[in-house]
């Protein structure tokens, strides 16, 4: 049995015990018996393969309620590892995690006009191969890999179809799953990056224990992941930009999708940058050669009137759309992340202020907003690793 098959050979009850420890760690046998519904004799039998395979360990001592202190069982973190990859339009990030989804090693590189699929995958594979060799020296191994990427994609076959706005050419019909499985000989799970991020935050981060969670990544596009009652809410064609193309003005700005008045036509990096350039040209008579979104965000924070105008207008539009989504989903938490949130506190504050104003709720029914969540810029890559773990545990809610 290869290490990548260890979970597939486990009994259902053993997987359930592992899952309980993973999500509520650490736990005593008494607590596990109560949570799993297994008698102590059956519980011990189902825990045996987990201990023999070094998936769990009983190393911590809990508080005594009278008599001997109980042993607390936790996930063993020194033998098996998972790779999580975040392929975005502006960067790619690779993270190596242990079985508790804690990052052990990370590598990030920028995406530009030379970042073709061939070059990008070559860099990823080279880094992973190097990590694999180091792990072997310490009897460690990588047992799976998850990828969170921009869509649209065919999740089942693991193919990136025809995403927009990559600077480099060639990002059409890329068979990521089969390429990596062939080269690395480990199982690979693929999903939209926003779904990976909302999974990480819901199961392991700031949204843990919350029924409905919204995650929105504000960048070149507006990417949305949504979990309702512990289940992914999937859009048509598994797209992550359905919210981005919510129409808030039927006679509004022309959007790349062909409609008018979509949120993304006002509140994405591309739209904000173009509107800023147009405003500068209107005010000065010249079209600026270079104006990237980071400079615009910084200028807005420093009271540049043109920059503040486009940031406030874009964030206000996003806030209106977000109010509509909140009314439909009733989330306990809304996580706003991505480059625009990272570089513009003004954008975040205006967006959340507008959303709260438009939903007009009273008291405790208002959702909680988070800037960046628990994992911040690591949410998609950690979430990609979480996709693998949940697939090992056969969690059908996240398929």
């Amino acid at each position: 049995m290869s290490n990548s098959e260890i979970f597939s050979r486990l009994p259902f009850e053993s997987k359930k015990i592992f899952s309980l420890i993973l999500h509520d760690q650490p736990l005593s046998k008494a607590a596990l018996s109560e949570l799993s519904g297994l008698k102590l004799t059956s519980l011990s039998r189902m825990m045996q393969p987990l201990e023999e395979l070094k998936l769990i360990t009983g190393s911590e001592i809990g508080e005594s309620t009278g008599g001997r202190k109980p042993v607390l069982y936790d996930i063993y973190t020194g033998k098996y590892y998972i790779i999580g990859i975040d392929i975005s339009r502006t960067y790619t990030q690779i993270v190596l995690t242990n079985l508790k989804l804690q990052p052990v090693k990370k590598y990030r590189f920028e995406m530009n006009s030379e970042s073709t699929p061939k070059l990008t995958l070559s860099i990823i594979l080279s880094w992973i191969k190097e990590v694999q060799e180091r792990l072997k020296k310490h009897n460690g191994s990588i047992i799976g890999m998850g990828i969170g990427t921009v869509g649209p994609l065919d999740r089942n076959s693991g193919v990136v179809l025809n995403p927009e706005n990559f600077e480099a050419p060639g990002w059409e019909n890329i068979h990521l799953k089969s390429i990596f499985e062939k080269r690395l000989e480990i199982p690979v799970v693929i999903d939209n990056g926003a779904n990976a991020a909302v999974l990480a935050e819901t199961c392991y981060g700031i949204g843990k224990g919350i029924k409905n969670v919204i995650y929105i990544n504000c960048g070149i596009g507006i990417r949305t992941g949504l979990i309702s009652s512990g289940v992914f809410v999937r859009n048509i064609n598994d797209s992550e930009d359905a919210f981005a193309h919510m129409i808030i003005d039927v006679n509004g700005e022309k959007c790349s999708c062909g409609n008018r008045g979509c949120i993304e036509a006002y509140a994405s990096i591309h739209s904000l940058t173009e509107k800023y350039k147009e405003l500068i040209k209107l005010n000065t008579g010249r079209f600026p050669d270079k104006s990237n979104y980071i400079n615009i965000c910084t200028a807005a924070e420093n009271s540049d009137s043109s920059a503040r105008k486009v940031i406030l207008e874009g964030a206000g539009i996003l806030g209106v759309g977000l109010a509509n989504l909140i009314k439909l989903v009733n989330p306990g938490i809304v996580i706003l992340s991505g480059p625009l949130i990272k570089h513009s506190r003004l954008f975040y504050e205006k967006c959340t202020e507008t959303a709260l104003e438009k939903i007009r709720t009273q008291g405790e029914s208002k959702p909680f907003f988070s800037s960046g969540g628990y994992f911040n810029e690591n949410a998609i890559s950690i979430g990609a690793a979480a996709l693998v773990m949940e697939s090992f545990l056969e969690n059908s809610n996240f398929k």
Side-chain angles (χ1 to χ4, degrees):
M1 177 176 65
S2 70
N3 286 337
S4 61
E5 297 176 317
I6 55 173
F7 281 95
S8 65
R9 302 291 180 90
L10 288 173
F12 171 79
E13 291 82 0
S14 295
K15 292 180 184 178
K16 183 177 181 180
I17 293 165
F18 182 92
S19 181
L20 287 170
I21 298 173
L22 176 67
H23 295 108
D24 294 299
Q25 58 202 309
L27 294 169
S28 66
K29 279 192 174 181
L32 284 167
S33 177
E34 182 179 349
L35 290 169
S36 66
L38 294 172
K39 294 181 179 180
L40 284 174
T41 52
S42 299
L43 177 70
S44 296
R45 189 171 66 254
M46 290 299 105
M47 290 177 68
Q48 185 177 346
L50 297 176
E51 293 183 87
E52 290 175 348
L53 290 167
K54 291 190 175 181
L55 290 170
I56 64 172
T57 180
S59 58
E60 296 189 40
I61 304 297
E63 292 293 327
S64 174
T65 57
R68 189 164 54 181
K69 292 183 177 181
V71 174
L72 298 182
Y73 290 87
D74 203 350
I75 304 301
Y76 186 74
T77 58
K79 184 173 178 62
Y80 306 111
Y81 300 87
I82 299 174
I83 290 286
I85 301 178
D86 170 8
I87 300 178
S88 298
R89 297 176 180 94
T90 56
Y91 68 88
T92 287
Q93 179 167 294
I94 320 166
V95 64
L96 176 75
T97 78
N98 58 33
L99 293 189
K100 292 173 74 171
L101 281 299
Q102 297 166 329
V104 176
K105 193 175 180 62
K106 183 173 73 172
Y107 179 61
R108 182 184 178 104
F109 59 92
E110 301 304 310
M111 300 284 277
N112 53 41
S113 59
E114 297 181 356
S115 302
T116 61
K118 182 177 180 180
L119 178 60
T120 301
L121 270 57
S122 174
I123 294 172
I124 293 171
L125 284 165
S126 177
W127 188 87
I128 294 174
K129 289 287 189 181
E130 182 180 336
V131 170
Q132 280 182 321
E133 291 303 314
R134 291 183 182 180
L135 289 176
K136 284 180 182 177
K137 295 178 181 179
H138 302 282
N139 200 30
S141 63
I142 297 170
I143 61 173
M145 184 171 89
I147 304 174
T149 183
V150 294
L153 50 84
D154 183 330
R155 286 188 303 112
N156 293 328
S157 60
V159 179
V160 175
L161 299 175
N162 55 339
E164 298 179 348
N165 297 322
F166 273 100
E167 284 192 55
W171 284 93
E172 296 89 23
N173 297 315
I174 308 302
H175 293 249
L176 291 180
K177 180 179 172 69
S178 61
I179 291 172
F180 282 116
E181 287 188 335
K182 181 178 180 180
R183 299 287 184 88
L184 300 173
E185 298 182 333
I186 56 176
V188 176
V189 181
I190 296 180
D191 208 328
N192 288 316
N195 280 343
V198 77
L199 177 63
E201 294 290 358
T202 302
C203 293
Y204 306 94
I206 198 171
K208 192 171 182 178
I210 297 177
K211 184 177 179 181
N212 300 334
V213 180
I214 294 175
Y215 173 92
I216 298 179
N217 187 289
C218 304
I220 289 179
I222 298 173
R223 307 162 69 186
T224 305
L226 173 59
I227 287 178
S228 178
S229 298
V231 180
F232 274 143
V233 176
R234 295 194 175 278
N235 301 311
I236 297 173
N237 298 325
D238 278 324
S239 67
E240 60 182 356
D241 62 354
F243 171 69
H245 296 291
M246 177 189 290
I247 297 172
I248 47 86
D249 183 356
V250 293
N251 298 312
E253 298 282 349
K254 188 72 178 289
C255 183
S256 61
C257 71
N259 284 326
R260 287 188 175 275
C262 296
I263 294 171
E264 193 167 291
Y266 300 90
S268 65
I269 283 175
H270 176 74
S271 63
L272 293 177
T273 304
E274 291 304 306
K275 289 182 189 303
Y276 179 76
K277 290 178 179 179
E278 291 171 4
L279 194 55
I280 293 298
K281 183 179 180 182
L282 181 65
N283 293 337
T284 66
R286 60 181 179 80
F287 203 76
D289 294 329
K290 293 182 180 180
S291 292
N292 65 46
Y293 78 96
I294 296 177
N295 293 337
I296 296 169
C297 290
T298 302
E301 300 291 334
N302 293 327
S303 300
D304 178 286
S305 59
S306 296
R308 284 184 66 86
K309 180 179 175 62
V310 298
I311 290 291
L312 290 172
E313 287 182 354
I317 293 294
L318 180 60
V320 171
L322 191 52
N324 292 332
L325 185 59
I326 289 169
K327 288 179 180 179
L328 288 171
V329 176
N330 188 27
I333 186 169
V334 178
I335 302 163
L336 298 178
S337 190
L340 280 175
I341 302 301
K342 178 181 178 180
H343 292 285
S344 179
R345 185 70 187 176
L346 180 65
F347 187 93
Y348 172 78
E349 290 176 349
K350 177 61 177 178
C351 174
T352 54
E353 175 188 298
T354 302
L356 287 172
E357 176 189 335
K358 297 300 181 183
I359 59 177
R360 299 183 183 280
T361 56
Q362 299 286 329
E364 296 181 359
S365 59
K366 292 181 180 180
F368 173 71
F369 286 91
S370 170
S371 175
Y374 177 79
F375 292 106
N376 290 292
E377 64 184 21
N378 299 320
I380 295 177
S381 53
I382 296 290
L387 287 167
V388 177
M389 181 55 71
E390 297 303 323
S391 72
F392 283 160
L393 298 176
E394 299 180 2
N395 191 337
S396 61
N397 290 347
F398 304 121
K399 289 184 178 180

